[in-house]
Amino acid sequence: MYDPKRGYPVVVPCVLYDDLVSAAEWLTTVLEMRQVVRAELPGGWVGHIELERAGSIILLGRRGGESAGANSVTQVFVDDVATACGRAAGAGGTVLEAPADRPWGVRQALVTDLEGQRWVLCEHLRDTDPADWYGTVFGPVPG
């Protein structure tokens, strides 16, 4: 899962919402997308939802934190997150969140470009069982 070498998209738009469940319902109805992954913590707090259509993924994420004030971020898989962060800083960007390994099997960092657009840099590390990070898979996920 989340491996671009096996078909997971290299570039994934992440649209930020306050109410992810309502947004997912709207997008599945209007754009005929299908929910493929949902990360829901005990107590019903939904951390993110992934929707798929024709091999493309849209990630629905929560507003707030380092993305406060933003409506979207773009997730891009790279070969080495730390190296990409160095290139971002060297080219005038800002590293908002240093590379860190996540329970869903990727290393991630958050950077901004020259105009403040946010980019989540990702590197696939290993496949994981979504149940380990409160994820539920509803159907086939590319990669």
Side-chain angles (χ1 to χ4, degrees):
M1 189 172 210
Y2 304 128
D3 188 352
K5 293 178 180 142
R6 293 193 321 251
Y8 193 80
V10 172
V11 178
V12 177
C14 178
V15 187
L16 304 176
Y17 290 96
D18 295 319
D19 184 345
L20 277 65
V21 174
S22 293
E25 290 171 2
W26 191 90
L27 291 164
T28 57
T29 298
V30 174
L31 301 180
E32 299 179 318
M33 302 194 82
R34 67 181 182 89
Q35 183 174 241
V36 293
V37 176
R38 180 186 292 205
E40 186 171 343
L41 296 173
W45 187 84
V46 177
H48 84 269
I49 296 174
E50 293 177 47
L51 304 176
E52 184 269 345
R53 182 168 177 213
S56 295
I57 295 284
I58 293 177
L59 178 66
L60 309 182
R62 284 214 169 267
R63 281 197 179 111
E66 290 293 344
S67 293
N71 289 319
S72 66
V73 297
T74 304
Q75 179 174 282
V76 179
F77 279 83
V78 297
D79 290 332
D80 184 298
V81 169
T83 299
C85 284
R87 288 193 307 261
T94 303
V95 177
L96 295 177
E97 290 180 8
D101 293 357
R102 305 294 186 198
W104 42 92
V106 300
R107 179 169 295 130
Q108 290 181 315
L110 179 65
V111 302
T112 61
D113 63 22
L114 296 173
E115 293 198 21
Q117 295 294 328
R118 290 169 173 90
W119 299 86
V120 177
L121 307 178
C122 298
E123 174 185 347
H124 178 264
L125 300 175
R126 67 191 173 286
D127 289 342
T128 62
D129 181 348
D132 291 343
W133 42 268
Y134 301 105
T136 301
V137 177
F138 293 94
V141 179

